[in-house]
Amino acid sequence: MDFTKFDSRSAADKPARLHLKDPASGEELFADEARSKPCVVLVRGTESRAVQSALRAVQCAKLKDKPKKESEEARTLEDLHAQMVDGAVPLITGFENIARGEAALTTSEDDLRWFLNLQMINGQEGEKSFAEQVLAFASKRESYLGNANAR
């Protein structure tokens, strides 16, 4: 049996299509009334070597700037959300049918953070923020092993 089909590390480097859901209702989002233009985020998997390298760099930068006593301070939901956003930024490689006002969303740092900060986590079942959706999708092997099996 050829085990290369189980290479989720390599498969995770190829962005997969995440069809976004409404963060309140859980309904799939479309850019048109005919529901022919799905709102999609192109996402690399968390097992990607490139993503792991980017996350390591983010973590090292935070450790450099972090005051020693910060770990003892109280953490808020907003702090947790900020960590999630930092983790999601390196995963996103593009958007389809998603706009910021009249302009198509780009992968600029400003657009990525704007998009990921539109909502915060709230702990309600079925109400997943865009950041939560991206992170959940990126951490599922089934999102990427399908890419590897298609080769």
Side-chain angles (χ1 to χ4, degrees):
M1 174 185 236
D2 180 8
F3 270 56
T4 58
K5 69 180 182 179
F6 299 112
D7 184 2
S8 57
R9 300 284 319 262
S10 294
D13 281 326
K14 180 181 178 189
R17 296 168 47 91
L18 164 62
H19 188 162
L20 287 176
K21 294 183 178 177
D22 183 297
S25 70
E27 298 277 327
E28 289 184 329
L29 295 173
F30 293 87
D32 62 339
E33 293 294 323
R35 299 176 61 88
S36 63
K37 295 181 179 180
C39 297
V40 170
V41 180
L42 301 175
V43 181
R44 290 184 294 187
T46 55
E47 290 185 71
S48 160
R49 287 171 179 84
V51 167
Q52 285 300 308
S53 178
L55 292 173
R56 187 176 301 109
V58 167
Q59 189 65 20
C60 286
K62 281 186 176 188
L63 289 174
K64 221 177 191 183
D65 296 335
K66 184 190 248 184
K68 290 183 181 177
K69 296 214 175 206
E70 185 176 312
S71 61
E72 298 170 15
E73 294 177 14
R75 307 294 269 166
T76 67
L77 189 59
E78 195 166 33
D79 295 328
L80 175 59
H81 178 75
Q83 287 181 317
M84 290 176 65
V85 168
D86 288 342
V89 165
L91 300 170
I92 299 173
T93 65
F95 296 95
E96 296 175 7
N97 304 313
I98 300 175
R100 184 176 182 179
E102 296 296 317
L105 208 57
T106 70
T107 56
S108 72
E109 182 87 8
D110 184 54
D111 275 358
L112 290 171
R113 290 188 178 278
W114 172 83
F115 168 75
L116 293 167
N117 280 301
L118 287 171
Q119 321 86 30
M120 284 183 39
I121 59 173
N122 67 5
Q124 297 299 310
E125 187 67 33
E127 294 186 9
K128 300 294 181 194
S129 70
F130 295 145
E132 288 175 286
Q133 291 178 51
V134 167
L135 289 168
F137 183 82
S139 64
K140 286 185 184 175
R141 285 193 178 119
E142 70 182 348
S143 299
Y144 302 95
L145 283 178
N147 292 340
N149 289 330
R151 291 183 197 160

